[in-house]
Amino acid sequence: MRGHPDYSETILTTWSISYSAVVQKNEDAAKLLRLWGYLDSQDVWYELLKWQIYQDAAPEWLRRITATESAFFKTIQALVEFSLIEEEESSDSYSMHSVVHDWIRWQINQSKTDGLARTSVCCVGLARPRLDSVDQWTRTRRLLPNCIVVARRFVTEDYFLDYSDDCVKTSLESIGDVLVKLKNYEEAGEFYSSLLSRAQNSLGIDHGYVLTIMLGKAALQARENKPAEADPIFMQVFERLEAAPSLNYSALLRMGLKVGIIYREQGRWDIAGTALKIVLKGSQNKPGGYREIELAAIQSLAGVYAVQGNLTEAEALSEQVFNSMEKELSMNNALTLAAGNLLGSLYMRMGKLTQGHEILTRVLMGQEKLLGKEHPESLDTVYMLARLCLKEGKLLDYKAMLERAVTGYRETFGADHEVTLAIVADLERLEPILRIKEEILHTEEEVLRKEEMQRNKEMPHNEEKLLRNKKRILRNKAKILRGEEQMLYNDEKILRNEEQLRRNEEKNGTIAETTRTNRANAKGTNAA
């Protein structure tokens, strides 16, 4: 067998006999086995094969298999009986031994024009969960191994895909997006380069889909801190968008929105504002999904105004967007939750702590329900609420939220992640202040008890001692107030440092990926 000369003829013959028997017994099962050769060998499940939005575009044999879970199970059992795959215990997952997987790939799947390559791309791409689906973060991570397998084969082999096929286009975009979202930048870079070359050869440089892929590649390079490569692509695409408004279809505008948000996060305010205004212009007064793009663009512009210090205008836009999203999309939508998060952070910066606490609590409830408690966005909101509790002077609530945040960050990012370490430092600084508070409470109780005893027993000679105790209480209260003021000062100083860094980056024309590192370093310096 090409690529695996060490497999014995006996093993190859056994597999071939088993495969022939499967073909005779259940032809759909045989096709599923061949499709498996294009997928990850270790995890295939029912929902992976059930195309979410293009069911009618799926091959007829695949529609039969996924018509019901019982039909899928019956097909799978035909492969299990011949020991070609295995069922994972207490799971909906099925796996295949790597050598069987290689044998299918090299021995059985010789043809590249039988449609299985397209089917594998669409299975994986269309299995990407919606942003507003429950546990989408967990489900996206589960999908990653299949995205990597398909992307690698796409780069090294010609899949003979039709790039005018909407199902194929949507699926390829989703695969690239998952790779970037889960920070597989090297895989994503090779995938986008290959996809851009093939789509451009097939559709031409000015096709909307080609421009969408170009923006996807620019977004990846921006995340990798490669402005010299990302900026020219960005400018080229948006010049064409302004020159040809007919190209403003939703996929291209969504990718443009993503690029604008990335530049906003990196402190490139001018280029972010330009991108978002073009997206906003292209999405206004259009039906359907364009409304979501319009609202998201307005929300992102509000974020730009916020970091530039124009809080009043940012607040007005944020309230407008959040109220519209809550009404039109509900709180069970990722865009609505992001808008609420921005509005809550603005309220906190403007000193509207009660309003900020109320909206961030609602956002957190929605995020944990929609995304899961360990999702990075949920954890960021927990940390934001912790800082808000500190501003409110609720130290016990502050501690509880910090402990909740640090547990989540450890599980999701690890104990050595910069934000995890920053929260641990916050907790360490908080402990002595809480101990002083506890001592004050204890001393106050003791003084009250002794005062009561003095009144009952008429012991005026203890008045001097009681006065000393009261003075000690006052000194301790002053000490804890100084500690709280220092923590609030540290928090405000961090924000000022972040804003100063962003202004410097704008002036110098550089991209900064180190905002959170700056926050951790600033807090470490204050602690010292």
Side-chain angles (χ1 to χ4, degrees):
M1 182 167 57
R2 180 163 57 92
H4 298 281
D6 55 332
Y7 294 157
S8 70
E9 289 298 324
T10 301
I11 293 176
L12 297 178
T13 300
T14 300
W15 289 340
S16 296
I17 292 172
S18 297
Y19 175 71
S20 298
V22 171
V23 173
Q24 292 296 320
K25 181 176 180 179
N26 188 326
E27 190 173 344
D28 287 349
K31 288 183 178 179
L32 175 59
L33 189 71
R34 293 184 58 201
L35 173 64
W36 212 314
Y38 287 91
L39 303 173
D40 176 45
S41 63
Q42 297 304 301
D43 191 15
V44 168
W45 63 101
Y46 174 63
E47 295 292 341
L48 178 68
L49 307 177
K50 190 174 177 62
W51 297 11
Q52 293 186 53
I53 54 176
Y54 288 95
Q55 291 92 341
D56 293 342
E60 185 177 351
W61 67 267
L62 187 60
R63 293 203 302 271
R64 286 195 298 268
I65 288 176
T66 58
T68 63
E69 289 194 54
S70 59
F72 172 73
F73 181 75
K74 181 179 178 181
T75 306
I76 281 289
Q77 288 307 303
L79 301 178
V80 172
E81 289 174 8
F82 288 96
S83 300
L84 292 169
I85 65 171
E86 297 178 355
E87 181 177 4
E88 300 297 323
E89 292 185 13
S90 303
S91 171
D92 63 348
S93 175
Y94 297 87
S95 64
M96 176 185 294
H97 196 285
S98 59
V99 294
V100 178
H101 193 257
D102 289 342
W103 167 72
I104 293 171
R105 178 179 177 182
W106 297 111
Q107 191 76 7
I108 303 298
N109 289 344
Q110 293 291 326
S111 173
K112 294 293 185 294
T113 58
D114 54 11
L116 288 175
R118 172 188 180 272
T119 303
S120 69
V121 167
C122 293
C123 281
V124 174
L126 297 177
R128 183 195 175 187
R130 288 173 52 90
L131 291 177
D132 57 356
S133 61
V134 177
D135 293 332
Q136 64 94 4
W137 177 247
T138 302
R139 293 164 61 193
T140 300
R141 285 188 291 184
R142 182 182 187 181
L143 186 62
L144 177 62
N146 272 287
C147 288
I148 291 174
V149 169
V150 170
R152 286 176 178 173
R153 291 196 64 175
F154 177 83
V155 168
T156 58
E157 302 175 25
D158 193 342
Y159 270 17
F160 299 100
L161 298 176
D162 177 6
Y163 293 96
S164 63
D165 182 341
D166 287 341
C167 181
V168 169
K169 291 192 295 185
T170 299
S171 300
L172 290 170
E173 286 179 47
S174 294
I175 290 170
D177 197 51
V178 169
L179 293 174
V180 174
K181 189 178 185 69
L182 296 181
K183 302 186 185 305
N184 286 260
Y185 293 153
E186 184 175 352
E187 303 278 359
E190 295 176 356
F191 175 75
Y192 272 121
S193 295
S194 181
L195 174 56
L196 180 58
S197 174
R198 295 178 187 181
Q200 187 171 318
N201 290 337
S202 174
L203 303 173
I205 185 65
D206 289 320
H207 193 278
Y209 183 67
V210 174
L211 296 178
T212 302
I213 301 307
M214 289 174 67
L215 279 181
K217 186 174 182 179
L220 170 64
Q221 291 168 334
R223 289 194 182 280
E224 292 183 295
N225 197 20
K226 298 178 179 178
E229 298 175 31
D231 289 359
I233 298 176
F234 165 81
M235 297 306 300
Q236 180 183 4
V237 172
F238 277 95
E239 284 174 4
R240 290 178 180 169
L241 266 177
E242 287 190 294
S246 60
L247 290 173
N248 290 345
Y249 74 104
S250 62
L252 180 55
L253 290 174
R254 287 183 188 278
M255 189 62 77
L257 176 64
K258 185 180 300 183
V259 171
I261 292 171
I262 291 171
Y263 279 116
R264 186 198 73 192
E265 292 172 349
Q266 295 179 336
R268 305 285 299 281
W269 316 129
D270 289 343
I271 198 169
T274 299
L276 293 170
K277 288 173 183 176
I278 292 173
V279 170
L280 182 59
K281 181 180 178 181
S283 60
Q284 285 178 325
N285 302 318
K286 291 186 178 180
Y290 287 94
R291 175 58 173 164
E292 288 189 17
I293 300 173
E294 178 186 355
L295 291 173
I298 296 173
Q299 173 199 335
S300 297
L301 275 172
V304 171
Y305 293 144
V307 294
Q308 289 178 320
N310 191 350
L311 299 185
T312 301
E313 190 167 355
E315 180 188 19
L317 283 179
S318 294
E319 288 179 341
Q320 172 194 341
V321 170
F322 177 71
N323 292 334
S324 297
M325 285 186 173
E326 186 177 20
K327 181 179 178 181
E328 298 174 27
L329 306 176
S330 84
M331 281 298 289
N332 294 323
N333 182 281
L335 290 175
T336 308
L337 295 173
N341 198 293
L342 174 60
L343 181 56
S345 67
L346 279 171
Y347 284 149
M348 186 169 71
R349 290 181 63 185
M350 299 173 75
K352 300 180 179 181
L353 303 184
T354 301
Q355 293 164 276
H357 204 129
E358 178 185 353
I359 196 167
L360 288 175
T361 300
R362 292 177 61 201
V363 167
L364 181 59
M365 290 175 61
Q367 287 174 331
E368 291 184 338
K369 179 181 177 181
L370 182 64
L371 308 175
K373 291 185 177 182
E374 308 307 322
H375 191 281
E377 292 178 17
S378 303
L379 296 174
D380 286 345
T381 303
V382 172
Y383 194 19
M384 195 182 303
L385 273 168
R387 291 169 59 187
L388 195 150
C389 289
L390 174 61
K391 287 178 177 290
E392 293 177 309
K394 300 175 181 177
L395 294 189
L396 292 179
D397 291 342
Y398 174 55
K399 179 182 180 182
M401 297 303 288
L402 285 181
E403 290 174 340
R404 184 172 168 184
V406 79
T407 299
Y409 274 105
R410 280 197 187 109
E411 292 181 4
T412 303
F413 298 107
D416 295 329
H417 190 271
E418 58 191 11
V419 180
T420 308
L421 296 174
I423 299 173
V424 169
D426 286 343
L427 284 167
E428 289 174 350
R429 284 192 292 270
L430 179 62
E431 281 304 317
I433 294 177
L434 289 178
R435 282 198 299 271
I436 293 171
K437 259 202 164 182
E438 186 176 351
E439 290 175 7
I440 289 174
L441 289 174
H442 176 74
T443 304
E444 285 181 333
E445 290 174 357
E446 182 67 18
V447 169
L448 290 173
R449 187 181 66 82
K450 289 183 177 180
E451 284 182 337
E452 183 67 23
M453 289 176 61
Q454 182 184 7
R455 284 193 296 269
N456 292 338
K457 297 182 180 180
E458 296 182 353
M459 297 172 59
H461 59 278
N462 284 334
E463 287 183 2
E464 184 178 348
K465 185 176 180 181
L466 290 172
L467 182 60
R468 287 198 301 271
N469 286 336
K470 287 183 178 180
K471 288 180 178 179
R472 182 154 60 92
I473 291 173
L474 291 174
R475 286 196 298 272
N476 286 339
K477 284 185 175 181
K479 186 176 180 181
I480 193 169
L481 285 173
R482 286 195 299 273
E484 290 175 351
E485 288 173 358
Q486 182 63 40
M487 295 186 76
L488 288 171
Y489 171 77
N490 291 344
D491 200 50
E492 295 297 334
K493 187 175 181 181
I494 289 166
L495 291 174
R496 289 197 300 273
N497 288 342
E498 290 174 353
E499 291 178 1
Q500 183 61 46
L501 177 61
R502 292 188 183 109
R503 288 196 293 270
N504 290 340
E505 288 166 355
E506 181 183 11
K507 181 178 178 181
N508 298 328
T510 61
I511 295 179
E513 288 282 349
T514 58
T515 300
R516 284 193 173 178
T517 304
N518 180 59
R519 178 183 300 165
N521 290 339
K523 290 185 177 181
T525 302
N526 292 329

